């Protein structure tokens, strides 16, 4: 077996080169050295196909990150590629709007319960920010309540510990609440009486909604004239063809989608009630690349496939089987410090280690050992329909061996000795 220094030599070299000209050497926080330990992890991918990724050192991985959930149908899907290539011959970004925009919007209206109208953009943040601007325009109020992660713009990120550069005035308008906590929601609403424009929330992350929780959220926001927006960046096209709103049977006023919508092509969408989306021209939501046709061609294929219900059923099946097998194969001792939670298509590792340094070491050691065994994973399983039984078994084997090492490290107090890198320390936490 090569040493880790040999295994990741090209990644480490590329990091030094890229960091000279690119802050963080990555365009995406969660793809950077803030998440992957330098010297014990791949830092640059060469290519991906199906559910496999190859790093620039030539190492192969079963990929559970799936481009941070942006890929649900597997990388390099042939039907999507062909549709994109056909569209490419007609042009990528044209001087006028293109009919494909309405074709894709119609499919979304058919699929998503709250969607009466649709506008497209590139990043998820574009769509969540549009939801907030729309809600403010619709209600004439300024304050917003957030629950989960909603992107990098001032109105949201100012409410986290990563708030440098966000004016205090903007920060004071956003109130973060924990999931499953009706009391916290009511407390903000009464403190900010008559001033709350929107509640934007991820309808589920690691914890299942308590019985009646989402229904109560819907009832309260409606009674208070607050726009309810579901941020379905991850739940969309994973939980059900119509997203978490279909899955849980609770219909918001607005919803944002992205990621799996175009299976890795850059496309997001803000959808919702006609009376609110009708305000679009007046809030000036507009972008040069909003109608870029390649991503829309990809989305058309994705949506037709999603409409059959087959992909979401398969994601739940694969994710559920993977979890069952991991549970059966992992060492009993690992249950003391690690459990798994969430919907099978988006499973979270849940750590229960109090001491922050021990926690950082244990998490990083698991990462180091999983990566060494050819499994690309952060703290979630974002499976894709491309997983085969062999891929699932590969991940299961890697977990069994890696968790045995972490368990021993914890039992003997030797976590630090087993690490071949600096532990990754969390910079901020956005999901409770
Ligand atoms: C729930 C949620 N909302 C919004 C975003 C922001 O999307 P983007 O990074 O495409 O701007 C993300 C990205 O991870 C997300 O998970």
């Amino acid at each position: 077996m090569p040493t880790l220094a040999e295994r990741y030599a090209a990644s480490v070299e590329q990091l030094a080169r890229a960091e000279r000209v690119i802050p963080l050497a990555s365009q995406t926080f969660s793809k950077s050295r803030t998440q992957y330990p330098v010297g014990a992890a791949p830092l640059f991918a060469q290519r991906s196909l199906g559910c496999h990724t190859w790093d620039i050192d030539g190492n192969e991985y079963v990929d559970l990150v799936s481009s941070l959930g942006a890929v649900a149908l597997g990388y390099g899907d042939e039907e999507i590629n062909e549709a994109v290539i056909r569209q490419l011959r007609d042009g990528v970004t044209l001087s006028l709007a293109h009919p494909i925009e309405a074709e894709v919007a119609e499919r979304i209206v058919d699929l998503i319960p709250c969607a009466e109208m649709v506008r497209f953009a590139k990043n998820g943040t574009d769509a969540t920010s549009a939801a907030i601007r729309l809600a403010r325009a619709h209600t004439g109020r300024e304050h917003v309540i957030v629950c989960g992660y909603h992107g990098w713009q001032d109105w949201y990120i100012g409410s986290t510990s990563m708030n440098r550069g966000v004016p205090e005035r903007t920060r004071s308008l956003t109130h973060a609440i924990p999931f499953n906590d009706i009391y916290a929601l009511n407390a903000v609403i009464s403190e900010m009486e008559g001033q709350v424009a929107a509640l934007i929330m991820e309808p589920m992350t690691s914890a299942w909604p308590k019985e009646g929780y989402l229904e109560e959220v819907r009832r309260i926001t409606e009674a208070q004239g607050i726009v309810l927006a579901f941020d379905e960046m991850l739940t969309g096209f994973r939980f059900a063809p119509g997203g978490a709103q279909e899955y849980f049977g609770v219909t918001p006023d607005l919803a944002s989608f992205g990621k799996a919508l175009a299976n890795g092509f850059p496309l997001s969408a803000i959808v919702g009630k006609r009376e609110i989306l009708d305000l679009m021209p007046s809030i000036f939501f507009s972008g040069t690349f909003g109608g870029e046709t390649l991503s829309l061609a990809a989305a058309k294929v994705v949506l037709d496939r999603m409409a059959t219900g087959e992909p979401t059923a398969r994601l739940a099946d694969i994710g559920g089987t993977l979890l069952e097998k991991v549970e059966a194969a992992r060492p009993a001792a690992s249950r003391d410090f690690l459990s798994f939670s969430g919907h099978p298509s988006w499973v979270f590792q849940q750590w229960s280690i109090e001491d922050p340094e021990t926690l950082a070491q244990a998490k990083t050691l698991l990462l180091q050992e999983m990566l060494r065994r050819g499994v690309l994973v952060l703290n979630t399983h974002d499976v894709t329909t491309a997983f085969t039984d062999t891929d699932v078994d590969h991940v299961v084997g890697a977990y069994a061996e890696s968790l045995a090492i972490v368990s021993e490290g914890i039992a003997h107090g030797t976590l630090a000795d087993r690490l071949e890198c600096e532990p990754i320390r969390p910079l901020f936490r956005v999901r409770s």
Side-chain angles (χ1 to χ4, degrees), residues 28 30 68 122-128 147-152 156 200-203 205 231-235 256 258-259 267-268 346 431:
T28 312
S30 299
L68 303 171
K122 293 287 95 183
N123 289 292
T125 307
D126 304 339
T128 57
C147 181
Y149 175 68
H150 308 297
W152 74 271
Y156 170 70
I200 183 165
M201 64 185 299
E202 291 185 88
T205 57
D231 184 353
E232 296 238 38
M233 222 56 67
L234 257 314
T235 53
S256 49
K259 300 214 185 230
L267 187 70
S268 61
W346 189 29
R431 292 185 173 116

Side-chain angles (χ1 to χ4, degrees), residues 1-56:
M1 250 208 186
T3 63
L4 292 191
E6 289 161 351
R7 181 175 163 85
Y8 301 120
S11 263
V12 172
E13 202 181 315
Q14 179 63 25
L15 179 68
R17 177 180 174 181
E19 277 195 317
R20 279 198 285 275
V21 285
I22 300 173
L24 205 57
S26 170
Q27 314 312 316
T28 312
F29 192 81
S30 299
K31 297 182 186 178
S32 73
R33 62 174 161 75
T34 63
Q35 313 295 312
Y36 294 97
V38 177
L43 299 165
F44 298 90
Q46 189 66 52
R47 69 187 184 96
S48 297
L49 188 66
C51 67
H52 291 232
T53 284
W54 288 262
D55 69 16
I56 61 169

Side-chain angles (χ1 to χ4, degrees), residues 212-233:
Y213 169 70
L214 291 174
E215 290 80 356
E216 185 64 358
V217 165
R218 177 65 285 189
R219 192 193 64 71
I220 293 170
T221 47
E222 198 160 350
Q224 297 288 331
I226 296 169
V227 172
L228 175 62
F230 278 177
D231 184 353
E232 296 238 38
M233 222 56 67

Side-chain angles (χ1 to χ4, degrees), residues 90-96 288-294:
D90 275 352
V92 181
T93 305
L94 288 72
S95 295
L96 300 172
T288 305
F289 296 118
E292 173 266 312
T293 59
L294 302 190

Side-chain angles (χ1 to χ4, degrees), residues 29-263:
F29 192 81
S30 299
K31 297 182 186 178
S32 73
R33 62 174 161 75
T34 63
Q35 313 295 312
Y36 294 97
V38 177
L43 299 165
F44 298 90
Q46 189 66 52
R47 69 187 184 96
S48 297
L49 188 66
C51 67
H52 291 232
T53 284
W54 288 262
D55 69 16
I56 61 169
D57 283 279
N59 303 306
E60 182 176 353
Y61 304 84
V62 174
D63 186 345
L64 274 171
V65 179
S66 305
S67 194
L68 303 171
V71 171
L73 300 179
Y75 296 100
D77 181 272
E78 273 301 323
E79 195 189 351
I80 295 176
N81 282 353
E82 277 165 26
V84 168
I85 291 165
R86 267 198 310 279
Q87 182 59 48
L88 180 61
R89 298 199 178 99
D90 275 352
V92 181
T93 305
L94 288 72
S95 295
L96 300 172
H98 190 285
I100 198 170
E101 295 167 40
E103 288 173 36
V104 178
E106 283 161 5
R107 284 165 168 78
I108 292 178
V109 168
D110 285 346
L111 220 51
I112 309 292
C114 81
E116 294 172 4
M117 299 196 90
V118 180
R119 277 290 299 270
F120 296 110
K122 293 287 95 183
N123 289 292
T125 307
D126 304 339
T128 57
S129 301
I132 296 307
R133 180 92 61 81
L134 281 171
R136 285 173 165 158
H138 179 70
T139 59
R141 305 170 181 175
E142 291 195 340
H143 285 257
V144 297
I145 304 175
V146 300
C147 181
Y149 175 68
H150 308 297
W152 74 271
Q153 281 291 355
D154 286 10
W155 65 266
Y156 170 70
I157 208 70
S159 70
T160 73
S161 57
M162 290 289 238
N163 57 19
R164 266 186 105 177
V166 180
E168 173 55 36
R169 166 83 181 121
T170 304
R171 288 170 49 196
S172 69
L173 296 175
T174 302
H175 311 267
I177 58 166
F179 189 68
N180 266 339
D181 190 340
I182 286 291
Y183 178 83
L185 173 63
N186 279 328
V188 177
I189 291 175
S190 45
E191 191 192 335
M192 296 293 141
E193 203 189 336
Q195 298 179 67
V196 178
L199 163 61
I200 183 165
M201 64 185 299
E202 291 185 88
M204 175 172 168
T205 57
S206 57
W208 289 86
K210 285 184 196 156
E211 205 180 329
Y213 169 70
L214 291 174
E215 290 80 356
E216 185 64 358
V217 165
R218 177 65 285 189
R219 192 193 64 71
I220 293 170
T221 47
E222 198 160 350
Q224 297 288 331
I226 296 169
V227 172
L228 175 62
F230 278 177
D231 184 353
E232 296 238 38
M233 222 56 67
L234 257 314
T235 53
F237 313 111
R238 283 193 171 267
F239 282 31
Q245 54 194 275
E246 177 191 339
Y247 191 76
F248 293 119
V250 175
T251 306
D253 302 305
L254 298 174
S256 49
F257 292 85
K259 300 214 185 230
L261 170 60
N263 205 46

